[in-house]
Amino acid sequence: PKLTSPTGTPLPARPHVVLNRGDIRNKMLIVGDIHGCLDETKLLLQKAGYDPATMDLISVGDLVNKGPYSAECIRFLRETDATVVRGNHDDAVLQAALRVGRFAEAPPPAKYDYVSELTDEDIRWYGNIPLSVRIPHLSPPILIVHAGVVPGVELESQRFEDLVTMRQLLVGDKPSEWRSLVRPQSDAEYWARVFSRESSAGEAEATVLPDSSEAVHIFFGHDAKKGLQQETRATGLDTGCCYGKSLTAALVHVHEDDTWHSELLSVPALREYSAPGHKKK
């Protein structure tokens, strides 16, 4: 039987994808949470000089909801042959389309009406986007997830819920006592800051990626309220485009020796499509 996630959605055939030297180009555009903002996505690609022959397109997930073009964003990313990781809103679409999880008993609300526009091929593709993508041969290695990781836990052992929903950590005396949080608390810390601090101290980096001993750099999204996060070992790219703020991407330039540098690009939202915190996700 096909493995399912805790929400009842199918797990991708390859939950943790590895990209090797022959799989990537010298430029990668890693885009923050799109949330149905297709016009801004196209403007951002234009600003980056996106050319599929010379640049890889990667998304940190949450292609849908809140903005105006959810089904169109799924199709655009699929037809562009983009690499996408699963976010909580992507998982919600799969729940709605397959009538599992929160929609196993009750029909999805009207905001999911666009799901009927998705083809079987769209759903198949969406169900197979991985939970993480890593590029271990780069220096530093790159890992892309939607929400976060718990420091000191090897990637394959990270919980599904943490990869797609976590924002903060309650830090205990030792990593085994650390607890992930979806909703921020005053006594907790943002996971990216903890991860960067632990990696810099040489504590956690080797235990996250199974195929690299070098400290990894993580690109992620999911936290529009916190906005752009720039830590030494992690970059948070959700800058709230659907809330009328901006859509942000990291343009990664890979050098011949496998080192890399990145620059941040952003375009302003064309308008506010959704009010922050107005509705439960």
Side-chain angles (χ1 to χ4, degrees), residues 93-267:
V93 169
L94 293 170
Q95 292 177 54
L98 303 173
R99 298 299 297 270
V100 297
R102 72 177 98 166
F103 304 129
E105 306 291 333
K111 69 177 182 176
Y112 287 99
D113 284 353
Y114 65 85
V115 171
S116 64
E117 301 170 34
L118 300 176
T119 64
D120 289 347
E121 199 174 347
D122 290 331
I123 298 293
R124 246 192 325 272
W125 175 82
Y126 217 21
N128 258 321
I129 61 175
L131 307 181
S132 77
V133 171
R134 68 184 185 271
I135 314 172
H137 72 273
L138 294 181
S139 180
I142 286 176
L143 173 66
I144 299 136
V145 298
H146 176 63
V149 298
V150 176
V153 176
E154 190 170 294
L155 184 61
E156 307 273 345
S157 301
Q158 296 279 341
R159 298 190 320 151
F160 174 89
E161 303 93 316
D162 294 340
L163 292 167
V164 301
T165 63
M166 74 177 288
R167 291 188 176 93
Q168 285 191 329
L169 281 169
L170 272 175
V171 178
D173 291 334
K174 50 183 184 284
S176 59
E177 297 173 356
W178 295 356
R179 191 160 63 84
S180 59
L181 296 173
V182 177
R183 302 191 183 285
Q185 291 181 193
S186 58
D187 57 343
E189 292 186 77
Y190 286 94
W191 74 265
R193 182 157 294 176
V194 178
F195 180 82
S196 295
R197 186 173 68 229
E198 293 294 312
S199 293
S200 298
E203 296 293 331
E205 69 271 20
T207 52
V208 174
L209 286 195
D211 38 22
S212 178
S213 58
E214 188 179 352
V216 67
H217 192 95
I218 303 178
F219 290 95
F220 67 102
H222 187 57
D223 202 343
K225 187 173 181 181
K226 177 69 173 167
L228 182 67
Q229 296 184 57
Q230 294 179 273
E231 302 293 343
T232 54
R233 293 292 176 189
T235 303
L237 294 168
D238 186 357
T239 50
C241 187
C242 59
Y243 300 133
K245 295 178 182 177
S246 62
L247 183 64
T248 299
L251 179 55
V252 176
H253 301 264
V254 179
H255 311 302
E256 285 191 9
D257 62 356
D258 292 331
T259 60
W260 56 271
H261 74 276
S262 67
E263 56 180 312
L264 293 174
L265 303 173
S266 68
V267 295

Side-chain angles (χ1 to χ4, degrees), residues 12-64:
R14 293 190 300 155
H16 303 287
V17 165
V18 179
L19 298 180
N20 295 307
R21 193 172 279 104
D23 302 322
I24 64 167
R25 294 169 178 83
N26 292 335
K27 292 181 183 177
M28 293 180 284
L29 189 69
I30 306 174
V31 182
D33 299 38
I34 291 172
H35 281 302
C37 298
L38 183 61
D39 293 334
E40 290 86 349
T41 301
K42 290 179 177 178
L43 288 169
L44 185 57
L45 265 56
Q46 190 177 353
K47 184 171 185 175
Y50 175 70
D51 176 351
T54 59
M55 190 183 294
D56 291 310
L57 179 59
I58 300 174
S59 160
V60 300
D62 275 8
L63 306 183
V64 296

